[in-house]
Each structure stands twice: as C-alpha cells, then as structure tokens.
C-alpha cells in the first residue's frame, strides 16, 4: 500500500546520503519512532532553519532542521510544535491514504497553502495531540497560554 511513497522516499534519502558524502558532510541517519530520519540533508530547502519532507517511512530534514526541533507558526499554526511529531503524522496519513496521498496532498494545496491544506493542518494537529499526550505542549506554549487568558 505504501510502496510508491516508500520508493520516492528511499530515492530522496539515498540521493541526500550520496550528496552528503560527495560534499564531505555526511548526513545523520537514525531509526525514529515511526520511520527513518535523515538529518542534515542538502538537496532541499536549506534556507534559514531548513525544512523537512516525509515520503513513505523516510523523514528527510534539510539544512539545520531536526526532528526534535520546536517550531512556531508551522504552516500557519499559532503555537510551538515539535517538527518530528508533525512529520510522523504525515507517515500516519500516508498509511491511511497509500498511493493516493501524494496526488491528494498536491491537489489540496500542499505545503505552500499552510493551514488551508488539510494534510498540513492535520499534521499540526497530530503534533499538538501527541505533545499534549506526553505532557509537553503547555511547557512549550506557556507564553501563548498566558496571552490568551
């Protein structure tokens, strides 16, 4: 069911691993909670703090982006979220939608439309829910909670 997404993800991961070795700056590879995490990738958006993409079970973090990084305003969110939890939710979405995920993701707005994309809004909510479940959401969003009182 996930085979097409995994083929694309593995291709992206291998290309970034090769680019890392070619530039003398190898990427970090580890098994994450839901997939394989490639950190320090070069073949993507490395501006500012970097970015991430998840295809199949491959989470690729470009530039300085890391799975445990806290980010504010991710895709229009008004809170701090853990980037890796957001990406993990994309794995859940791809498990549910299989080969339909990528076309549906692109048709519904992709990453460029922010919270207008149901997949990005869903990934933000997944990160939010997971942070609440393990008890860290309020810790990272305390100043926002004070402002909303």
């Amino acid at each position: 069911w996930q085979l097409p997404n995994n083929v694309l993800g593995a291709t992206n991961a291998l290309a970034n691993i090769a680019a890392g070795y070619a530039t003398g700056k190898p990427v970090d590879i580890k098994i994450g909670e839901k997939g394989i995490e490639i950190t320090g990738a070069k073949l993507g958006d490395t501006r500012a703090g970097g970015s991430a993409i998840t295809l199949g079970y491959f989470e690729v973090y470009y530039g300085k982006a890391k799975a445990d990084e806290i980010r504010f305003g991710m895709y229009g969110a008004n809170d701090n979220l853990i980037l890796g939890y957001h990406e993990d939710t994309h794995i859940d979405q791809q498990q549910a939608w299989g080969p339909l995920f990528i076309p549906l993701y692109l048709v519904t707005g992709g990453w460029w439309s922010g919270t207008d994309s149901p997949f990005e809004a869903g990934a933000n909510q997944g990160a939010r829910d997971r942070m609440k479940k393990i008890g860290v959401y309020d810790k990272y969003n305390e100043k926002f909670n004070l402002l909303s009182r």
Side-chain angles (χ1 to χ4, degrees):
W1 181 244
Q2 276 249 60
L3 183 62
N5 302 341
N6 278 314
V7 168
L8 291 172
T11 301
N12 184 38
L14 290 171
N16 276 285
I17 291 167
Y21 281 108
T23 60
K25 298 176 184 173
V27 299
D28 292 323
I29 305 167
K30 78 172 202 171
I31 304 298
E33 290 183 40
K34 294 194 177 185
I36 299 169
E37 297 174 0
I38 311 293
T39 304
K42 317 286 185 274
L43 303 176
D45 184 0
T46 59
R47 296 172 291 151
S51 63
I53 187 170
T54 298
L55 296 167
Y57 291 103
F58 296 87
E59 297 178 12
V60 178
Y61 296 87
Y62 298 102
K64 296 179 182 178
K66 296 188 182 322
D68 61 354
E69 181 177 334
I70 306 297
R71 290 222 169 158
F72 174 76
M74 202 162 23
Y75 301 104
N78 291 319
D79 50 2
N80 288 310
L81 299 172
I82 297 174
L83 179 58
Y85 291 0
H86 173 97
E87 295 303 320
D88 282 350
T89 304
H90 285 313
I91 289 175
D92 298 338
Q93 292 168 341
Q94 291 177 68
Q95 288 172 334
W97 290 96
L100 299 174
F101 173 79
I102 293 171
L104 287 172
Y105 179 87
L106 295 173
V107 167
T108 59
W111 69 90
W112 58 88
S113 66
T115 55
D116 290 338
S117 164
F119 292 106
E120 290 302 342
N124 281 348
Q125 189 60 50
R128 199 173 288 118
D129 291 346
R130 192 162 165 198
M131 290 174 69
K132 288 177 180 179
K133 183 177 182 179
I134 63 169
V136 299
Y137 180 82
D138 288 336
K139 172 184 170 187
Y140 292 118
N141 288 283
E142 186 175 354
K143 69 179 177 181
F144 302 111
N145 295 337
L146 292 173
L147 292 174
S148 65
R149 290 183 185 165

